[in-house]
Structures are given as C-alpha cells and as structure tokens.
Amino acid sequence: MSKRPKKKVVKKTTKKTTKPAAKKATPKSENTAPFSFDKMIAGKGVYIAAALLTVVGFVVFRKYLLLQQVYIFKDIGSDTLNLFYPQFVHIADYIREYGFPTTWSFRQGMGQNILPNNAGDPFNWLMYLKGGHALAYLIAYAEYLKVIAGGLFFFGFLRVLNLNMYTSIVGAILYGFTGFMIVGGGWYIFSSEAVFAALLFLAFEMYFSRGKWQLLPIAVCLVGSYMAYNFIPYAMLIFFYSLFRFIGERGWNLQQYVKFMAGTLLYALIGFGLSALFSISGLVAMANSPRVAGDVSFFADLMGKFNFESSLHYATAIMRTFSNDLMGTGSEYVGYRNYLEAPMFYCGLSSLLLAPQVFGFLDRKRRILFAIAAFMFIAPVILPFLRYAFWLFAGDYYRGFSLVVAGGLLYFGLHALHHILETGKINLVNLGVTLLILLALLFVPLAENVTVDGTIRNSVALFLVLEAGLIFLLTVPNFKALAQIGFLSLVCLEAAYMSSFPVNNRQVVTAQELESKVGYNDFTIDAVDYIKSIDQGFYRMEKDYSSGTAVHTSINDGRIQGYFGTSSYHSFNNNHYIKFLTDVEIIDPTDENETRWALGLKSRPLLLNWASNKYWLLKTDQFQLPGYSKIHQVGDVNIFQNSYFVNLGFTYDKYMPENEFTALDGFLKKDITLFRSVVLSEDQIQRFGSNLSRIDAATYPENYTPDIMVNDINGLRANFLNITDFKEYRIAGNITVDQPKMLFLSMAHDSGWKAKVNGKSTPIERVNIGFMGIMLDAGTSEIVLSYQPPFYLISLLLTIGCFLLYVFLLWRYRKQPEA
C-alpha cells in the first residue's frame, strides 16, 4: 500500500499563527497605549513623594534650616517662646543633671511633676539631646522632619487604600502642608499630632486591609506618649472610621465586625501599655489639674450650650479652608478667636474642587456612607455643641478637630482624583458649578467688617482656575501626561506659596538675637550663676522684669534661666498650688486663664518671705521692700538679698481650721495666719489637734508692723529643716523640736512624694491648703523625702511587660501571610 502524501497542515497552521507576529502591529499598538504615570514610576513612588516633600519643605523652611532665624515666634504664637522653648531647655538640663526626666522640678511653680511634659514626643528628643539654648536651632529641623514624615505616612495610608501612585504622591504633598501641620506647627504640638494621626490611620488600614497588625501598637503608643488625652478623640475617630470601612468593603455582619474590633482593641491596648510610662502620668496630671478637677472646668457650661456660632466664625471657617492667611497672618489675623485657635481647614485647593466629584463614582451603598461621613465632619462646624462633644465638653476649641475636617476633605478629593485617572471620566457640570461656588464664596462678603488679603485672594482664585483646568485635562488622552506633570507641579507650588505666610511672615527670634545678651540670654544668666557661686542652699528668687521678648509676658523664666521661683505658665498646673493661690486671693478662681498663667507670689512680699524667697533681681538700684539689700550687680541686673528669708522646711505649734482660714476677711489676715499657724482640715485636727494649739485671728494686731513681722519670722526660724543632701527629687535633712510640731515644706502637694522619719515611713499631709506637712514628735528627726510620679512603678512595669509581649508576638507571627 502506497503511502499517502503528507498534508502540509502544520506549515499552513504555522503560517497562519505566525503571520500576525510578522505584521509588527504590537509596537504600533504600544505607541498608542494610554500614558500611565504609575507604570513610569513603578517602585519609585515613595522616593518621589519623599523628594518633593523634602524640596518643598526646604523652600518653606530655608531661612531656619540655614540658621538665619530661629523657629520661635514672638507674635500670637508666643507660647513657643514663653512655654515650649523654656520647657525644652528645662528638660534637657534635667536630663544632663539627673538623668531621664521622670520626677520633680522646683523650676515650675512651687514644685511640680515634669513627666511627661511632651517628653514622649520623639521629635523633641532632637532638642533634649542637644541641650542649652543652641537647641533652639533644631526646632525648625524637627518641624521640617514632621512635614516629611507626616506626608510619607499619609502616602502609605493612601497606597494601602489601593489609590494609584500618582494620587498618593499628590496626597502626600497636600497632607504634609495642611494648615494643621504648618499653622499648628507654629505651636509645635499640633504638627506632631498630624504625624501620629497619619501613622495611626496607616496602621489601622494595614490591619483592616491586609491583616498586618504590627504597626498598630506602635502608632497607638506614639499617640498616647505624645498627649495622653488624645486617646479619647482618636478612639472615637477610629471607631467611626472602622464602621465606614467595614460596611463599605464587607457589608454589615455584626459578628465579624465585633471579632475584628476585638483584635483592634487588643493591639491598641498593647500600644497603650507601651506608652504607659508617659501616658499614665499625663492622664494623672490632667485629672489633677484645675481645668479638669477644679472650679474652672468647662463641662457644665458647654453641656448646656445649644447655640449657633457667629457669622464671623462661619466666615472664618470658609476663608481658612481656602488659605491659612486670607484673614491675616500671626498677630495681624482678624477672624474668629486667634490665628492658632481658629479653624485650620486648609488642605489644598484641589481638594475643594475634587471632593464633590467622588459621589459620581460611587455605588448607592458607598454614596450613603460618604454622605454620612461628610455630615459627621461638617456638622460640628455648623453646630458647636457637636464639636464640644468631640472634646467631651472639656473645651470649646478646634485644635485636632481641624485635622478631622481637613482629613475628610482629602479623603474625598483623593478618591475622586484616583477614579478620574483610572476611568478618564469627570462630571464637567459638577466641576464647573463647584468652581463657581468656590469663587463666589471667595469674593462675596460673608461677615461684616471682615477684611481679606486681596493679594492672597487673587492668588487663590488663580490657583482654583488653573487647577480646575488641569483636572479637566487629566481626562483628555492627548493631554493627560502633560496635565499630570502640570497638576503635580501646581500642587507643589501652591503648597510652598500657602505655607510661606505662616512660616516666614511672622515675628520670630533671629539668630543674632539668640546669641546676644538679650531675651533669655540676658544678664539674668550671669546673675543666677553668681548667686549659685556664693550660695549652695535651697532658695527661691524673683525678678521685677521679664526676659521674654514676645508680645505676651514670660513667666517661665526660671525654667530656662536655671532658678527656682513661684510662677508657672503651663496647661496643667498643680491643682493644689492653684487652690492655694485661689484661697489666698492671688488668682480669680473663675478665670481659667489664671489657672494656666499662675503668676505666683510675686505680688505678696510677705508670702515670698514665707516661701523661701531669698533674692530679687531688679533693673533698678532702688528697692523698697524691707529686709532686702543690694549685694552685687551684673550688667544691668542688680541682685538684692533678703534678710527675712525662711527655709524650705520649718515648724508650727499652732493651727487654724481650713474653713476658718478661707473665711478670713482680707488677704493680710491670711498672710499673718500662715506666719503663725498651719492650716488643717477637720480630719487633721482630729488627728493632730491635741498636739497643737488653736489660733484665733481676733488676736491679730490691727497694724502689722515690720517689727511684728520679724518676730513672726524668727518664730518660724526657731526650728527648721537642716538640709544635708538636696536633689530636686530627693531631699535629706534633720531637725530638732522640743515638743510635737508640724513640719511645713513649701512644696506643692503631690501624692508622689514619700517621707521617712528616722527610717520609718511617715504620711505626708496636705496642709496650708496646697502644700506638704509632716507631724513630728519631740526630739531629733532624720528626714528623707523622695519623689516618684504616681503610678510610676506600675507604668514602668506595664511598659516593659507590653514591650516583651509585643516582641513575642512579632516573633510568633513573623511569617504571617497577608490577608
């Protein structure tokens, strides 16, 4: 049988299958493929975001980074000069002298716990490690790093949300230069909050979207270490955000949601434990402060307010969404409240143009969720009661809530930008109407007698028009590549322009001023050094001048110039000290400001003698207070020494009931009482009254002459604590009394102080309204006082325990797969 000829099927098939490849159509097709920014920068997005943040940040902060100026403000932002800078120097000095700042300092008021005092903010450690007034130069570098870190954390958050690379880079720039970051950075604390907030939401998204929990405890730890109170509002934000994300992505399943949130809570509790060393002490300080536990608390007042805000408030809220500075910069600001406490909503003009677009890309369920979210961050701006509730009625300010509004606008706008780039579609009518509304709000007067900076307004209008045009061009294939480059460039230009006003158009400390004999570096430093060279004992001193050069008077000079005084400007002053100042009629108990700006005993010379004030520093040769004589002069500072000085610790053999003291008519009688008797509570009278005699104010002389005062002072000097070893957190000494007496210590009361008398633990009493006392038996007593912040040991053990648990979990789940 003959073989059939083979068919050339294979060859024909080969020709047919290979023929298309021979047409070289693929290169032509590739040439017409749409431009993809993400493909072009594949794997390099984070580096581009970092580079842009670094460059724009340098442009904004260059004067400070090049050491021409110091990022310390003398205008409405004077807290940087009057509070934070002295605090940085104080803690840096304390670390060098005593180690980690876990304890007590006499440079604040009449003694106070200085933990945490923002010691939990890692950005501040740049300053603490440097120390001295030179650390002032590093403040700008810390703020610069916050801009970069905050922007990069937000970039990571957007990437975990699966937004494209281009959108994430734009988002990093917008977040890094929000009003909250830049204007709030003029107070230092809010820029740190912006960084940790971005990290927290990145960590939550990592856990929610990918099952990666490792970052969540760290983020919670930083939030609490920096400012413990923020646990409360950020817990609320995470709760509502988790509902928003869970329902939007997985639908509603109560069992699954509870399971997920149980895991979130577990890792958050580990984070709380990691922060315990700082956060617990911070919570205790707040709980014991007059703003929470005192008579000036806002709770009752704010819970009863159901009003709308003024037209000025609403105008400010709108204007500060367009720009930080439309209504003025620094002390020139003319809007609601002041420059730093007004709404800080600015987050890029493109966010305003894009945010309404997002609703056109959503399905019905997500449209409802986004609408609810929009209501939740806009309604508190309209109805202040809701804003008060956000702060648990502890304050009527914006502060961190500004970041909520800005973050909401960014979230909406960036989602819209992502969809525009992915789909190439846009609602032109929506964009046009949005642009017209924004321009109308910008140019139409919103409140009476409100001036707007015309130059900035025109610039805002120009940016709006240009950015609207570029957003449209993002949907035109032939212009998309150019539009993406142009839009990103314009976003960077806007960020630099808008940030330049709050950073550079302010009254600041110059490098020359910092190095000259002015301000905190004046001759006070030399005078204090001289006094310390001739007197190594315990004493306090006062000045008749303020060394601060800001528009507001500084009263924290002792913290930076190294001496003990009686004044303190602090958010959470010791409540017992404030109660004392109230009861002796130095401050108004109903004025919340006076509880923070505690001027001390400067206005009461008699009490200064009683409180161990030994020196006055004056800019004049004449001093009328009895007992003071000039001993030296350094530069323009005259040093006067007090011959009526009373030691830190002295004894009483008489007492007055606290209710009688409070009811005394006139502060002079109260001063005399403190020279002659200890003020005790009813419980203390029952325990110690038999060892002391009761004083009667009716026996006081009508005319309290210097001779009578000297006699009273000599009575206090008869038995005093002889200090043999002094550290600010530990005091040792001895005293001899011929009968049972109450040893009084002119140190603000704090439960962290413990006493041992002749080696035996002895209770410390709260006497004289807000100070410390120890009941002594007759004879010689060896006394050791030591301080440890309340719950310090528990906090330390909790931090160590949670750290070990965290490390164990990292090891246990080191190969955890992505969800």
Side-chain angles (χ1 to χ4, degrees):
M1 184 180 290
S2 61
K3 294 181 180 180
R4 293 179 181 178
K6 294 181 179 180
K7 295 181 179 180
K8 297 182 180 180
V9 176
V10 176
K11 291 183 178 181
K12 288 181 179 180
T13 304
T14 304
K15 287 181 180 181
K16 287 181 179 180
T17 56
T18 59
K19 190 174 182 180
K23 289 181 179 180
K24 297 183 180 181
T26 304
K28 185 177 180 181
S29 176
E30 287 175 355
N31 288 336
T32 59
F35 171 80
S36 174
F37 187 90
D38 280 29
K39 288 183 180 179
M40 185 179 73
I41 63 168
K44 303 181 182 69
V46 67
Y47 303 111
I48 292 175
L52 291 176
L53 287 164
T54 301
V55 171
V56 176
F58 181 81
V59 170
V60 173
F61 290 97
R62 64 188 181 281
K63 292 181 181 178
Y64 305 97
L65 301 178
L66 297 175
L67 309 184
Q68 297 169 1
Q69 294 180 337
V70 183
Y71 204 62
I72 300 175
F73 298 98
K74 299 194 289 185
D75 58 6
I76 189 64
S78 62
D79 275 2
T80 57
L81 186 60
N82 292 338
L83 175 60
F84 295 115
Y85 177 42
Q87 179 175 289
F88 293 155
V89 174
H90 180 204
I91 294 180
D93 289 348
Y94 202 99
I95 291 172
R96 286 200 303 276
E97 186 170 2
Y98 298 124
F100 185 70
T102 59
T103 49
W104 187 268
S105 175
F106 284 97
R107 293 196 202 178
Q108 186 170 329
M110 292 183 70
Q112 183 164 334
N113 175 21
I114 62 169
L115 183 72
N117 259 354
N118 299 125
D121 185 344
F123 292 102
N124 290 346
W125 281 87
L126 290 171
M127 279 78 77
Y128 300 153
L129 295 177
K130 177 63 177 177
H133 78 276
L135 65 76
Y137 292 107
L138 293 177
I139 295 174
Y141 282 89
E143 294 305 310
Y144 181 44
L145 287 176
K146 291 177 192 178
V147 168
I148 298 171
L152 290 179
F153 288 146
F154 197 69
F155 172 89
F157 168 69
L158 298 175
R159 291 297 291 151
V160 178
L161 284 172
N162 289 322
L163 299 193
N164 57 53
M165 192 73 74
Y166 180 86
T167 299
S168 300
I169 292 172
V170 171
I173 300 300
L174 294 177
Y175 188 86
F177 295 94
T178 55
F180 190 78
M181 178 74 81
I182 300 300
V183 177
W187 251 355
Y188 308 154
I189 54 176
F190 297 131
S191 48
S192 293
E193 181 177 342
V195 175
F196 303 144
L199 180 62
L200 178 64
F201 278 85
L202 166 61
F204 176 84
E205 272 300 332
M206 290 285 291
Y207 181 54
F208 175 78
S209 301
R210 303 179 182 179
K212 296 290 186 179
W213 58 270
Q214 290 85 347
L215 194 57
L216 192 54
I218 300 299
V220 173
C221 171
L222 287 171
V223 168
S225 298
Y226 148 75
M227 189 174 291
Y229 180 80
N230 280 349
F231 278 135
I232 300 170
Y234 280 98
M236 289 191 289
L237 287 175
I238 288 294
F239 170 71
F240 287 117
Y241 182 73
S242 69
L243 285 172
F244 173 82
R245 291 288 288 138
F246 197 92
I247 297 172
E249 293 296 317
R250 305 176 188 178
W252 180 241
N253 185 309
L254 180 60
Q255 185 176 1
Q256 289 184 8
Y257 177 74
V258 170
K259 181 180 178 180
F260 168 74
M261 289 305 292
T264 303
L265 180 61
L266 171 64
Y267 298 124
L269 288 175
I270 294 174
F272 172 78
L274 289 173
S275 75
L277 185 61
F278 296 106
S279 60
I280 290 180
S281 187
L283 290 170
V284 170
M286 285 185 283
N288 291 332
S289 76
R291 299 174 70 183
V292 177
D295 297 330
V296 298
S297 170
F298 287 115
F299 289 105
D301 182 42
L302 294 182
M303 288 188 71
K305 282 189 174 182
F306 297 94
N307 59 303
F308 285 98
E309 289 281 11
S310 65
S311 60
L312 178 61
H313 165 270
Y314 296 121
T316 302
I318 293 172
M319 291 296 103
R320 297 266 284 193
T321 307
F322 287 117
S323 167
N324 305 310
D325 301 273
L326 271 172
M327 306 180 80
T329 302
S331 296
E332 303 301 317
Y333 167 79
V334 295
Y336 171 79
R337 288 290 182 91
N338 63 58
Y339 188 66
L340 294 166
E341 293 181 313
M344 294 180 281
F345 296 159
Y346 172 75
C347 56
L349 297 170
S350 56
S351 299
L352 307 182
L353 291 165
L354 288 165
Q357 292 283 331
V358 74
F359 291 96
F361 298 102
L362 303 173
D363 56 31
R364 184 176 180 274
K365 180 181 72 172
R366 287 182 173 82
R367 194 177 294 125
I368 293 173
L369 286 173
F370 271 70
I372 293 172
F375 173 80
M376 292 187 69
F377 68 75
I378 292 175
V381 180
I382 301 171
L383 300 171
F385 180 84
L386 299 177
R387 190 172 74 250
Y388 306 155
F390 178 79
W391 296 111
L392 299 183
F393 304 98
D396 61 349
Y397 32 67
Y398 268 92
R399 301 192 176 187
F401 189 75
S402 290
L403 188 60
V404 176
V405 176
L409 288 170
L410 281 172
Y411 193 90
F412 280 39
L414 293 169
H415 271 77
L417 179 61
H418 168 81
H419 286 294
I420 290 170
L421 292 169
E422 294 298 308
T423 65
K425 297 178 181 179
I426 192 170
N427 188 325
L428 281 177
V429 174
N430 182 313
L431 181 62
V433 171
T434 300
L435 177 60
L436 290 175
I437 291 174
L438 293 175
L439 291 173
L441 290 172
L442 189 60
F443 284 93
V444 173
L446 300 176
E448 294 182 3
N449 301 321
V450 173
T451 58
V452 174
D453 188 301
T455 301
I456 296 178
R457 179 171 59 186
N458 293 337
S459 300
V460 169
L462 180 60
F463 276 117
L464 283 170
V465 172
L466 291 175
E467 289 177 13
L470 288 169
I471 289 170
F472 164 69
L473 290 177
L474 291 174
T475 65
V476 180
N478 292 337
F479 293 97
K480 185 176 181 180
L482 198 58
Q484 282 187 281
I485 295 172
F487 182 73
L488 180 57
S489 300
L490 197 58
V491 166
C492 292
L493 178 62
E494 180 198 324
Y497 177 77
M498 294 298 185
S499 299
S500 66
F501 295 100
V503 172
N504 296 301
N505 290 19
R506 306 273 298 277
Q507 298 176 28
V508 298
V509 175
T510 64
Q512 181 180 4
E513 182 180 348
L514 188 68
E515 302 298 335
S516 302
K517 296 298 290 182
V518 295
Y520 292 129
N521 198 38
D522 63 12
F523 284 101
T524 304
I525 299 291
D526 305 88
V528 170
D529 288 343
Y530 172 78
I531 293 171
K532 289 181 178 180
S533 71
I534 63 169
D535 192 340
Q536 285 77 48
F538 178 91
Y539 47 82
R540 295 186 171 97
M541 63 178 72
E542 289 288 349
K543 305 193 303 181
D544 74 338
Y545 59 93
S546 167
S547 293
T549 56
V551 294
H552 303 109
T553 301
S554 64
I555 62 173
N556 283 336
D557 294 13
R559 300 182 71 177
I560 189 169
Q561 294 176 327
Y563 65 87
F564 302 158
T566 63
S567 61
S568 173
Y569 172 41
H570 190 61
S571 296
F572 303 107
N573 279 316
N574 181 290
N575 191 41
H576 298 296
Y577 183 45
I578 297 301
K579 180 69 166 61
F580 170 79
L581 295 177
T582 296
D583 283 9
V584 297
E585 303 175 42
I586 290 178
I587 67 173
D588 181 354
T590 65
D591 189 338
E592 188 267 346
N593 283 324
E594 291 193 21
T595 69
R596 288 182 289 123
W597 291 83
L599 299 178
L601 309 181
K602 191 173 182 178
S603 62
R604 299 280 277 278
L606 287 179
L607 289 184
L608 280 178
N609 294 335
W610 169 85
S612 303
N613 192 80
K614 194 171 184 179
Y615 299 97
W616 265 92
L617 306 182
L618 296 96
K619 292 293 184 74
T620 175
D621 277 334
Q622 304 300 318
F623 196 43
Q624 304 301 320
L625 286 180
Y628 286 89
S629 57
K630 182 177 176 179
I631 62 170
H632 194 63
Q633 180 173 348
V634 181
D636 60 346
V637 175
N638 297 285
I639 304 172
F640 286 77
Q641 184 172 332
N642 183 14
S643 61
Y644 299 152
F645 160 79
V646 178
N647 295 78
L648 172 68
F650 53 85
T651 61
Y652 292 106
D653 58 8
K654 298 181 178 62
Y655 76 89
M656 175 178 284
E658 191 171 310
N659 59 340
E660 286 187 19
F661 178 83
T662 304
L664 287 174
D665 181 22
F667 62 80
L668 179 59
K669 288 185 178 180
K670 293 180 177 180
D671 292 359
I672 295 172
T673 298
L674 293 172
F675 273 93
R676 297 184 173 187
S677 67
V678 64
V679 179
L680 302 177
S681 66
E682 288 300 322
D683 172 68
Q684 290 167 337
I685 291 171
Q686 292 179 8
R687 289 185 285 125
F688 309 127
S690 59
N691 293 320
L692 307 171
S693 59
R694 182 166 179 167
I695 197 171
D696 184 359
T699 63
Y700 294 171
E702 292 185 8
N703 184 17
Y704 194 66
T705 64
D707 289 342
I708 299 175
M709 179 193 70
V710 170
N711 187 60
D712 286 341
I713 287 174
N714 288 334
L716 298 179
R717 287 172 166 174
N719 304 113
F720 65 89
L721 179 66
N722 177 39
I723 297 175
T724 56
D725 182 46
F726 177 83
K727 294 181 178 64
E728 292 189 57
Y729 59 90
R730 186 182 183 278
I731 302 171
N734 55 70
I735 187 171
T736 301
V737 293
D738 56 1
Q739 66 182 73
K741 289 187 177 183
M742 177 66 74
L743 172 64
F744 170 73
L745 300 156
S746 57
M747 302 157 51
H749 186 270
D750 188 297
S751 60
W753 277 101
K754 306 300 178 187
K756 286 189 175 182
V757 178
N758 295 326
K760 181 180 179 181
S761 295
T762 304
I764 296 178
E765 305 289 334
R766 181 186 62 81
V767 301
N768 285 346
I769 308 301
F771 295 92
M772 300 197 299
I774 301 173
M775 194 65 206
L776 300 178
D777 295 326
T780 299
S781 298
E782 296 289 337
I783 297 173
V784 177
L785 302 165
S786 58
Y787 183 77
Q788 193 175 84
F791 309 109
Y792 179 77
L793 184 58
I794 294 174
S795 302
L796 182 60
L797 293 175
L798 187 57
T799 294
I800 294 172
C802 286
F803 175 76
L804 295 175
L805 175 59
Y806 179 69
V807 171
F808 169 76
L809 291 175
L810 286 177
W811 173 81
R812 176 67 177 79
Y813 297 104
R814 61 192 181 282
K815 295 182 179 180
Q816 180 186 16
E818 289 192 9

